[in-house]
Amino acid sequence: MLKLIRFFSRDENYDIGNTPVPMKKLIPEWYRKAESFWKSSDGMEGEGLKKCMPYMDTLVSGYAMLTQFDIFVKENPDGTLNISWNAPEQLSGFIDERPAELGATMPRPAGHHDNHLVWSGVWGFKTPRGYSALITHPLNRFDLPFTTTSGIIDSDEWYAPGNIPFFIKKGFTGVIPAGTPFAQVIPIKRKSWKMVTNDRGLQYADNYQGWLARQTETSYKKLMWHRKEFN
């Protein structure tokens, strides 16, 4: 059954040039150029990155929030940051910095500045009843010069735009172009779960299932994978 996730902008004067889009519209060029099969110099060969369906699913699931303007980042000689962007006056606070005391105990991603920055809320979204949303850094997008933190919001009940923290990588000086995905939004259905460990039945079945997935004619993609639809 088709589900709707509805995005909206709180600012009536906002120029909706870079609206949220399905992640599948933002496949990075490095993935497009990735190998389907590989062969090493010593004769070993196998299926490549493009044949890994779990990896591909991370790039096409959910929706992307995009930077609205070119963002200019400069790392000063003393290690401090200068960040600016071209924006109309009503959106001059698109990026903000929180006080150092807020979230001071939160570990920073390795290799990033300590500055506790936030993408200020421009877009809100509402999911169907019973669905929350995982908001996270675009999955497997380690090529981006920043890292966005993760959160889960019950977006069927609370759907106002909110601030999303992020950190800038050390050593980066340059432009984050308008249209860059800065957060990935993945709807998730709320359920109650209980963990079972050391399931012997699954342990035995795993041996056979693993053998099946390694066969060309009965691969994971053919037998077990389900296409994800986010439009």
Side-chain angles (χ1 to χ4, degrees):
M1 180 179 177
L2 181 68
K3 298 292 184 181
L4 293 179
I5 179 169
R6 294 180 286 167
F7 288 86
F8 72 96
S9 175
R10 176 182 286 163
D11 191 335
E12 295 180 356
N13 299 315
Y14 181 54
D15 178 13
I16 53 176
N18 286 321
T19 61
V21 297
M23 286 296 300
K24 66 182 181 182
K25 293 187 175 182
L26 300 170
I27 301 298
E29 188 62 23
W30 55 260
Y31 182 80
R32 295 184 187 277
K33 293 179 178 178
E35 78 289 345
S36 295
F37 298 91
W38 61 269
K39 186 173 183 178
S40 67
S41 58
D42 57 2
M44 294 182 64
E45 59 183 28
E47 293 185 337
L49 180 60
K50 280 189 174 179
K51 293 294 183 179
C52 181
M53 305 312 293
Y55 191 96
M56 186 205 72
D57 277 341
T58 67
L59 301 177
V60 301
S61 294
Y63 304 89
M65 290 190 177
L66 308 176
T67 55
Q68 307 300 313
F69 332 98
D70 289 341
I71 300 167
F72 306 95
V73 179
K74 180 180 179 181
E75 186 179 274
N76 300 315
D78 62 357
T80 58
L81 287 174
N82 282 339
I83 303 176
S84 60
W85 55 94
N86 296 322
E89 184 177 351
Q90 68 268 26
L91 289 175
S92 59
F94 177 62
I95 294 175
D96 199 3
E97 182 169 357
R98 288 177 168 171
E101 295 77 12
L102 177 56
T105 64
M106 179 174 61
R108 273 43 175 169
H112 291 61
H113 289 277
D114 288 339
N115 303 65
H116 188 174
L117 305 169
V118 292
W119 309 106
S120 297
V122 172
W123 291 96
F125 56 88
K126 189 178 190 305
T127 49
R129 183 185 301 273
Y131 283 80
S132 298
L134 168 64
I135 307 171
T136 189
H137 182 80
L139 297 175
N140 286 321
R141 291 300 306 272
F142 306 116
D143 54 313
L144 297 173
F146 56 84
T147 296
T148 300
T149 63
S150 302
I152 295 176
I153 185 171
D154 295 335
S155 46
D156 55 344
E157 300 286 349
W158 178 269
Y159 41 86
N163 296 333
I164 306 173
F166 73 100
F167 299 92
I168 294 286
K169 290 181 179 178
K170 290 181 179 178
F172 175 72
T173 290
V175 180
I176 302 173
T180 298
F182 67 82
Q184 186 168 351
V185 179
I186 304 176
I188 52 176
K189 190 173 184 178
R190 291 196 298 273
K191 287 284 188 179
S192 296
W193 294 84
K194 183 178 181 179
M195 183 176 67
V196 177
T197 59
N198 202 24
D199 190 311
R200 293 295 184 185
L202 286 179
Q203 182 178 346
Y204 297 136
D206 173 64
N207 294 328
Y208 177 67
Q209 189 181 61
W211 175 83
L212 276 178
R214 289 189 293 271
Q215 309 307 306
T216 303
E217 65 277 7
T218 57
S219 65
Y220 166 80
K221 181 179 180 180
K222 292 180 180 179
L223 289 182
M224 305 149 190
W225 177 70
H226 295 268
R227 185 177 299 279
K228 285 71 177 175
E229 294 288 344
F230 294 92
N231 297 306

